[in-house]
Amino acid sequence: MTSLHDLMNHTPGLPCRTHTTPTNDPWFSTDPTERQDAARQCHRCPLLLACMQDALSRREQHGVWGGVDFQARATGCGTDRGYRSHRSRGEKACPACQAAYDEAVEANRRRILAEAHAAGGSVRGYWMHRRLGETACVSCKRACARQSQERRKADRAACERARRVWDAREAAEDANGPQTGVQALAAAS
């Protein structure tokens, strides 16, 4: 397999080789406008895809490679969006992006908790307290207790209905005798 470096040495007229001076290399400039101009020049290059794939495989974070400004791409780090970008590329999130994601998750949980408190407490609020590693407040505990009580009441009612059906079935058998397959055949003949 031929490396990108070998391809670059054997391909004449590459923009990154012809438009660079020792004092000015727009492909690694600190000025985003210069890097954008360099990226546009890359679009004429016959090695565009090979260059981009090589930079992606090396997880490049600086410069313009294959028409992509990897420095601008990497500056999303340290944000919730950067976290999602890492995950979409199948990468483990960098510590800055992981911290930003964790902060966004906690902020969302705090928002949900505030809504639960505004409603006078809720079961969801109880679980948000738990997810945040906090002891649940009284109003959220009460909401959770109410739901548990209602669930137990519904379960008891369902058991009572099942018991009544069972008792009715047994009473019918006592009155008519058990119905077996043999008796049904004898009655039919």
Side-chain angles (χ1 to χ4, degrees):
M1 181 171 172
T2 307
S3 71
L4 178 64
H5 185 68
D6 292 339
L7 287 172
M8 290 174 77
N9 286 334
H10 297 310
T11 307
L14 297 177
C16 58
R17 299 291 179 144
T18 58
H19 294 89
T20 310
T21 64
T23 58
N24 182 23
D25 185 359
W27 278 263
F28 291 95
S29 175
T30 56
D31 181 17
T33 307
E34 287 184 16
R35 288 195 313 270
Q36 287 175 353
D37 291 338
R40 277 193 287 276
Q41 291 179 33
C42 286
H43 292 286
R44 296 189 317 258
C45 181
L47 301 180
L48 178 77
L49 291 176
C51 184
M52 185 189 317
Q53 289 171 346
D54 180 66
L56 288 170
S57 69
R58 290 183 290 111
R59 300 187 191 278
E60 186 62 58
Q61 293 189 2
H62 301 285
V64 175
W65 298 88
V68 176
D69 184 351
F70 281 84
Q71 193 165 340
R73 184 175 186 244
T75 57
C77 282
T79 64
D80 180 38
R81 182 177 177 209
Y83 173 86
R84 288 191 303 273
S85 180
H86 283 296
R87 301 303 292 175
S88 71
R89 293 191 301 258
E91 302 170 349
K92 184 175 186 282
C94 69
C97 288
Q98 184 66 52
Y101 174 76
D102 293 342
E103 186 178 312
V105 167
E106 182 173 349
N108 187 47
R109 288 177 179 166
R110 295 259 176 229
R111 181 189 54 77
I112 292 168
L113 190 57
E115 290 171 3
H117 287 156
S122 70
V123 175
R124 189 173 188 201
Y126 173 83
W127 289 108
M128 284 301 114
H129 280 294
R130 297 284 303 265
R131 288 204 166 193
L132 289 166
E134 305 170 350
T135 302
C137 67
V138 174
S139 60
C140 290
K141 281 183 181 177
R142 284 185 183 149
C144 199
R146 274 192 308 272
Q147 185 188 51
S148 293
Q149 185 178 21
E150 290 168 4
R151 187 176 295 134
R152 284 192 302 272
K153 186 177 177 182
D155 288 348
R156 280 193 299 271
C159 286
E160 280 300 314
R161 282 192 303 274
R163 173 51 94 187
R164 283 194 300 272
V165 168
W166 180 264
D167 289 344
R169 196 176 287 154
E170 281 193 350
E173 279 185 11
D174 287 344
N176 299 331
Q179 296 294 318
T180 64
V182 175
Q183 287 177 339
L185 287 174
S189 50

